[in-house]
Amino acid sequence: MQFLQFFGLKFNPFPKEVPIEHLFASSAGTELRSRLEYLEATRGIGLVIGEPGVGKTTALRAYLKGLNPASYHICYFALSTLNVREFLNGLAVELGEAPAFQRVRTIHLIQQAIQAMFHERKTTPVIVLDEMHLASNAVFNELRLILNFEMDSHNPYILILAAQPPIRTILNLNSHLPLRQRIAVSCALQGLQEAEVDNYLSTRLAFAGSSDRIFQTESISAIYSISSGLPRVVNSLATNCLIYACQQGERYVDEECVYQAANELKI
């Protein structure tokens, strides 16, 4: 990539995936981690809501990687790709059980596996269900059945539901009241603040090998305004700014460069 050489960068500073150890510690991410750590202590159900591109999956990935595998057993699913049977079967397998032909029997196997894992092996199952705003009502109903332990007297599991804002409308349905009442922790993940965008760009550039202040103050404000601080959009826009500036032979990204880059991206 020509712009990398032009700006003296070792690699693209703003890739889609960033190694966990090099993730930017935003205030929103710190707050989410605090909520999830509380959920560790209480167990039960947590809800993580955020707009597309805000970094829900990335933040959860970082949190899960930090859990002690001797104490926590992680099961991750993107519900947008699974129907009820696939979800039940997949969860049973993740918990070390062979799915039964009958749905009810599979649910019992899942419950027994969770109980055994928690009480006998002293390991807490952590079930993460991503893209829950796309899940069917049938999946929500199955969750209510699966998570009923000893008449709801205790929680031998951690369940994290991650979704976009439409999840609020879904959970407000009367049929989902029992599940909604079980949610112990809720966090609406926000994008980067304007001051954080400046630090984020500088940190990523430094990691890629440049100590220059390539993005000028006015350009940072423009990037924040266009992206609303959503990391995915910030990454795309910042990369395109570097490409455009390189094409123009400019060593710095100014406000005009940002708007030209945004226009090319149609954002």
Side-chain angles (χ1 to χ4, degrees):
M1 287 181 265
Q2 185 178 357
F3 77 91
L4 297 182
Q5 183 178 4
F6 183 79
F7 286 107
L9 300 168
K10 301 174 185 176
F11 47 80
N12 181 6
F14 310 106
K16 181 179 179 180
E17 295 293 339
V18 176
I20 297 298
E21 60 273 19
H22 295 296
L23 286 176
F24 180 76
S26 68
S27 58
T30 301
E31 174 63 21
L32 174 60
R33 178 173 288 276
S34 175
R35 301 285 181 93
L36 293 177
E37 288 174 350
Y38 172 77
L39 190 63
E40 281 181 42
T42 60
R43 298 187 305 279
I45 304 176
L47 176 64
V48 179
I49 302 175
E51 297 286 351
V54 77
K56 296 184 300 298
T57 302
T58 299
L60 287 172
R61 181 166 56 93
Y63 168 73
L64 294 173
K65 188 173 182 180
L67 293 178
N68 184 349
S71 301
Y72 297 94
H73 180 88
I74 299 168
C75 307
Y76 175 89
F77 296 91
L79 263 294
S80 61
T81 62
L82 300 177
N83 58 36
V84 171
R85 172 58 65 180
E86 290 170 336
F87 167 59
L88 291 176
N89 290 353
L91 183 54
V93 170
E94 286 284 330
L95 294 169
E97 299 289 337
F101 179 75
Q102 294 180 319
R103 178 184 63 85
V104 174
R105 175 60 181 157
T106 300
I107 290 176
H108 287 161
L109 288 173
I110 290 171
Q111 290 181 319
Q112 291 169 8
I114 290 175
Q115 292 274 33
M117 192 174 289
F118 183 76
H119 293 291
E120 298 172 18
R121 284 180 269 167
K122 308 304 180 184
T123 300
T124 302
V126 181
I127 304 168
V128 181
L129 305 182
D130 208 350
E131 305 291 346
M132 278 299 289
H133 57 286
L134 299 176
S136 66
N137 285 328
V139 169
F140 283 96
N141 292 333
E142 295 303 285
L143 283 176
R144 180 172 56 85
L145 296 175
I146 292 171
L147 302 177
N148 186 9
F149 288 93
E150 297 180 9
M151 299 184 69
D152 252 3
S153 62
H154 77 301
N155 299 320
Y157 62 86
I158 294 173
L159 172 66
I160 301 174
L161 308 177
Q164 293 178 21
I167 189 69
R168 294 191 178 97
T169 301
I170 297 171
L171 289 174
N172 279 334
L173 295 174
N174 288 335
S175 59
H176 299 325
L177 177 62
L179 180 63
R180 187 170 75 245
Q181 290 176 333
R182 288 185 173 97
I183 296 174
V185 172
S186 180
C187 183
L189 190 62
Q190 305 295 323
L192 300 169
Q193 299 175 10
E194 184 169 357
E196 290 180 319
V197 171
D198 188 356
N199 195 12
Y200 174 77
L201 296 174
S202 298
T203 300
R204 296 307 308 161
L205 286 169
F207 178 59
S210 175
S211 58
D212 294 338
R213 186 172 177 81
I214 297 174
F215 289 86
Q216 298 182 345
T217 302
E218 296 77 9
S219 68
I220 293 169
S221 297
I223 289 174
Y224 175 76
S225 176
I226 294 170
S227 68
S228 298
L230 296 177
R232 184 187 301 166
V233 182
V234 171
N235 285 340
S236 296
L237 186 53
T239 300
N240 222 50
C241 283
L242 294 178
I243 294 172
Y244 182 82
C246 172
Q247 292 171 342
Q248 301 302 311
E250 298 290 341
R251 292 290 177 181
Y252 301 97
V253 173
D254 59 14
E255 186 176 15
E256 177 61 23
C257 177
V258 175
Y259 288 119
Q260 291 294 337
N263 184 57
E264 289 182 358
L265 290 172
K266 309 298 182 186
I267 59 175

